[in-house]
Amino acid sequence: MRATLLKCSLVVSVTVGVFFALSGSASAQITRYQEDQRLGTESHIGNVTGHAKAAAMDYRRYCVGCHGDDGDGMGANEPWLDPKPRNFTLGQFKCRSTPTGTLPTDEDLFDTIARGLDRSNMPPWNTFTRQQRADLVAYVKHFSPKFQTEKPGTPIQIPPEPEVTADRIKTGQVLFQKLECWKCHGVEGKANGPSADTLQDDQNRPIKPYDFTDGTRPKCGSSDQDIYKIFMTGLDGTPMPSFADNVKPDEAWDLVFYLRTLQPMHSKERQIAKQLGLKPIDPNAPVPEATPAATPAPAPQQ
Amino acid sequence: MKTGYKYKLAALFSAFLLLGLGVMILGQKVDAAPPSGGSVAGTVKLDGTAPHERSIDMSKEPSCAKEHASNPVKVESVVVGSNGGLQNVVVYVTQGLSGNEANSTQMQTWDQKGCQYIPHVIALNPGQHFKVVNSDQTSHNIHPQPKNNSEWNKSQPPGSQPFDVTWANPEVAINVKCNIHPWMHGYMAVVKGPYAVSDNSGDFKLEGLAPGSYTLTAWQEEYGTQTQKVTVAAGKPAAVNFTFKAK
């Protein structure tokens, strides 16, 4: 009788134990099977194919300290970092060539790893081989279920860069006023606009607009094409919206040229602005209606 | 086996197949038609004193501040009418739907007027279109922050064209904000099946429910959710009232 009771209780406790173990593993973030599936994630950079599996060692050695074991940005260094490391599980990225609300392309992630993010703790990883970086791109993607179910957005069309002219810079300045870039970035681009102090990112952490005048590089790259992409795609997860619906592809170049005049670096744009005696915009004055006769451009529309 | 028998069998089989397909297609048609008759009507009330809502200072945006000069705007997290009716509560069905309800094709509008979202809360079906409009003399950025849908952030300068958006997945509720004007807040509730948002006297009406039993959920941005069971019959609207307790 006693033996039966013992057996019964043993059976019951084992069953209960197995049940909890199973339910425990099911409620964990992802199962082993899903993890194995996701480790099959690939990336394609030109003729290089990246494999998530191959990046596991590099990630553990170089990335885990900030981005964490689970890619959620909660690595051991996280408490001391500002801006915070990216949470890869959300599948949301600032630096993209794709429209707001869509996933970045493999090249976008590849470029970010190589370039690093200025004014953050993310250094450029350009010492890695292309293969290593491509593998890391696949590894970054494997953290987010979004990359299993969604395709990256279609990159925005960037028309060939036209010649910088005084007219284009003036048109760009009108756009700067009309689109109200100054609300955050300030009339002189000093990041001191009326809304600058209240800005928050998606996790409700304070965030600063880019200061054009302090000589630093924009986070998502400093080429003319990079600046073009920044305001046409928006920096997802931050207050910086996409202006693609309201700026024509060719007009966007005028804005790029004007933004260059705000930066302290020597540039053709800055020289022209000096010759023109260009003054900062007056936000209280009405937006000039007739934009200066814009130079006819080849403008391959989307 | 004789070949004649084989053909007969094949003919019989294909006849059944056709019949089955026919039933499926007809069945779908029936489902796509607006479900007959039943509805639920009621009122959402607040029990207790409404919290004191602070006024919004729009002095940083003179064009909007001017619009509200005579009638200062207050925070809209709890809006109570004179009879204690609670406005902006989303009422929807969480249990009892057949799953074949067609999504609404009615176009809704999300307007930005006087640096406020009008309406403050909208409800939508997945895939239902809504139009984002800027009626102000200032730029806004529309920045919904969903958890279960893709987040985006678009600028809309004054005078620009409205744009058309949908949400793919159900989510109660998506917080929408404007980073340029940090006081601007609104919610979009994406739910399956019929839905209603309570009006300024707290009244709501859910229409197009087939007779049957349902669980209704009411969601309020400050007070969260409440559920109630209801049985809907054809013809007369079933009555359901919700009461939220003031904190």
Side-chain angles (χ1 to χ4, degrees):
Chain A
M1 180 66 197
R2 218 172 141 197
T4 335
L5 208 70
L6 210 69
K7 259 188 210 159
C8 270
S9 64
L10 200 73
V11 166
V12 166
S13 59
V14 165
T15 321
V16 168
V18 165
F19 176 77
F20 274 104
L22 279 176
S23 60
S25 69
S27 67
Q29 280 176 327
I30 54 171
T31 61
R32 186 62 191 273
Y33 174 73
Q34 282 170 317
E35 171 74 9
D36 281 350
Q37 285 252 304
R38 286 202 199 165
L39 276 174
T41 306
E42 287 185 357
S43 74
H44 300 277
I45 313 291
N47 54 2
V48 181
T49 301
H51 302 277
K53 261 197 188 102
M57 292 289 274
D58 277 339
Y59 185 85
R60 276 216 75 75
R61 174 135 193 214
Y62 299 105
C63 316
V64 82
C66 298
H67 292 287
D69 279 323
D70 301 327
D72 56 2
M74 296 305 279
N77 305 330
E78 183 271 343
W80 293 278
L81 299 182
D82 181 28
K84 295 291 178 196
R86 177 104 323 213
N87 176 354
F88 298 134
T89 65
L90 300 176
Q92 188 185 57
F93 296 89
K94 282 187 186 134
C95 306
R96 306 176 325 280
S97 59
T98 59
T100 179
T102 61
L103 292 175
T105 63
D106 290 353
E107 282 85 1
D108 291 339
L109 296 173
F110 185 82
D111 290 346
T112 303
I113 294 175
R115 191 198 318 113
L117 291 157
D118 213 42
R119 288 160 292 127
S120 84
N121 286 65
M122 172 77 180
W125 294 100
N126 47 13
T127 48
F128 285 157
T129 62
R130 284 176 66 80
Q131 182 64 54
Q132 271 178 307
R133 268 182 270 153
D135 292 341
L136 280 168
V137 168
Y139 203 77
V140 165
K141 284 165 64 180
H142 108 282
F143 285 118
S144 170
K146 270 197 179 175
F147 283 101
Q148 320 292 320
T149 54
E150 286 174 35
K151 286 212 155 57
T154 315
I156 59 160
Q157 295 274 318
I158 305 184
E161 183 167 350
E163 193 67 30
V164 183
T165 62
D167 280 346
R168 280 195 176 266
I169 291 178
K170 280 192 255 177
T171 314
Q173 188 178 36
V174 172
L175 277 173
F176 188 83
Q177 180 167 2
K178 196 173 113 191
L179 302 172
E180 300 186 3
C181 311
W182 57 272
K183 280 271 168 73
C184 300
H185 294 285
V187 288
E188 295 164 279
K190 283 187 174 165
N192 57 356
S195 301
D197 293 340
T198 54
L199 297 179
Q200 291 182 327
D201 72 2
D202 274 11
Q203 277 71 45
N204 297 327
R205 298 178 297 223
I207 188 169
K208 282 190 195 133
Y210 174 61
D211 183 345
F212 288 88
T213 65
D214 69 1
T216 56
R217 285 177 296 169
K219 277 223 161 56
C220 294
S222 51
S223 75
D224 289 350
Q225 276 77 11
D226 290 330
I227 296 175
Y228 188 108
K229 274 187 269 186
I230 289 171
F231 64 79
M232 291 299 259
T233 66
L235 303 184
D236 281 1
T238 80
M240 177 69 186
S242 157
F243 290 84
D245 289 352
N246 297 294
V247 181
K248 295 188 192 83
D250 184 58
E251 263 184 348
W253 280 117
D254 303 346
L255 185 54
V256 172
F257 297 148
Y258 177 67
L259 296 176
R260 285 286 190 213
T261 69
L262 303 172
Q263 293 183 302
M265 293 78 118
H266 289 292
S267 64
K268 197 176 173 194
E269 290 87 349
R270 206 166 160 76
Q271 224 175 352
I272 295 175
K274 212 171 170 184
Q275 282 166 7
L276 285 172
L278 206 64
K279 297 241 159 30
I281 56 152
D282 173 8
N284 297 316
V287 179
E289 206 42 67
T291 50
T295 30
Q301 304 287 313
Q302 324 191 348
Chain B
M1 192 190 282
K2 271 192 283 184
T3 40
Y5 181 66
K6 233 184 192 171
Y7 279 123
K8 245 187 219 161
L9 206 70
L12 207 68
F13 181 70
S14 44
F16 270 120
L17 204 71
L18 276 175
L19 197 73
L21 277 173
V23 165
M24 266 169 74
I25 291 164
L26 281 176
Q28 265 177 1
K29 259 199 186 140
V30 169
D31 285 337
S36 51
S39 62
V40 179
T43 310
V44 189
K45 294 224 172 198
L46 181 71
D47 177 20
T49 1
H52 173 74
E53 296 287 20
R54 70 188 160 77
S55 305
I56 296 172
D57 174 17
M58 293 194 191
S59 57
K60 276 192 178 171
E61 194 56 76
S63 67
C64 288
K66 217 162 53 192
E67 278 193 44
H68 306 294
S70 56
N71 185 21
V73 180
K74 296 195 164 167
V75 174
E76 292 170 289
S77 52
V78 180
V79 183
V80 183
S82 52
N83 59 346
L86 196 53
Q87 198 183 344
N88 294 330
V89 179
V90 181
V91 183
Y92 58 104
V93 184
T94 36
Q95 255 173 47
L97 290 175
S98 66
N100 295 324
E101 285 78 9
N103 289 329
S104 170
T105 51
Q106 192 200 341
M107 174 71 95
Q108 296 212 37
T109 303
W110 182 257
D111 195 5
Q112 299 155 101
K113 198 170 179 333
C115 290
Q116 281 187 293
Y117 292 122
I118 298 183
H120 177 63
V121 173
I122 61 171
L124 298 151
N125 282 146
Q128 185 178 355
H129 290 260
F130 64 97
K131 189 165 66 170
V132 178
V133 181
N134 182 3
S135 309
D136 281 335
Q137 294 307 306
T138 180
S139 261
H140 291 295
N141 75 306
I142 304 92
H143 193 171
Q145 300 183 305
K147 301 270 180 289
N148 199 24
N149 284 285
S150 284
E151 173 175 344
W152 47 266
N153 181 7
K154 285 186 176 188
S155 159
Q156 202 175 30
S160 49
Q161 287 296 311
F163 60 89
D164 189 321
V165 199
T166 60
W167 294 114
N169 307 315
E171 181 167 356
V172 179
I174 300 170
N175 178 24
V176 185
K177 70 178 187 180
C178 170
N179 297 95
I180 306 170
H181 308 110
W183 60 82
M184 288 174 72
H185 272 288
Y187 290 94
M188 298 180 182
V190 189
V191 297
K192 285 191 173 155
Y195 53 76
V197 182
S198 62
D199 62 15
N200 54 10
S201 34
D203 294 338
F204 68 90
K205 191 164 187 192
L206 275 181
E207 282 177 313
L209 277 169
S213 354
Y214 297 95
T215 305
L216 296 191
T217 297
W219 172 86
Q220 205 280 344
E221 59 179 277
E222 273 298 300
Y223 303 130
T225 56
Q226 278 191 11
T227 56
Q228 277 194 54
K229 288 199 188 317
V230 63
T231 305
V232 175
K236 195 167 158 269
V240 170
N241 295 313
F242 288 96
T243 306
F244 285 92
K245 240 187 152 58
K247 277 180 191 165

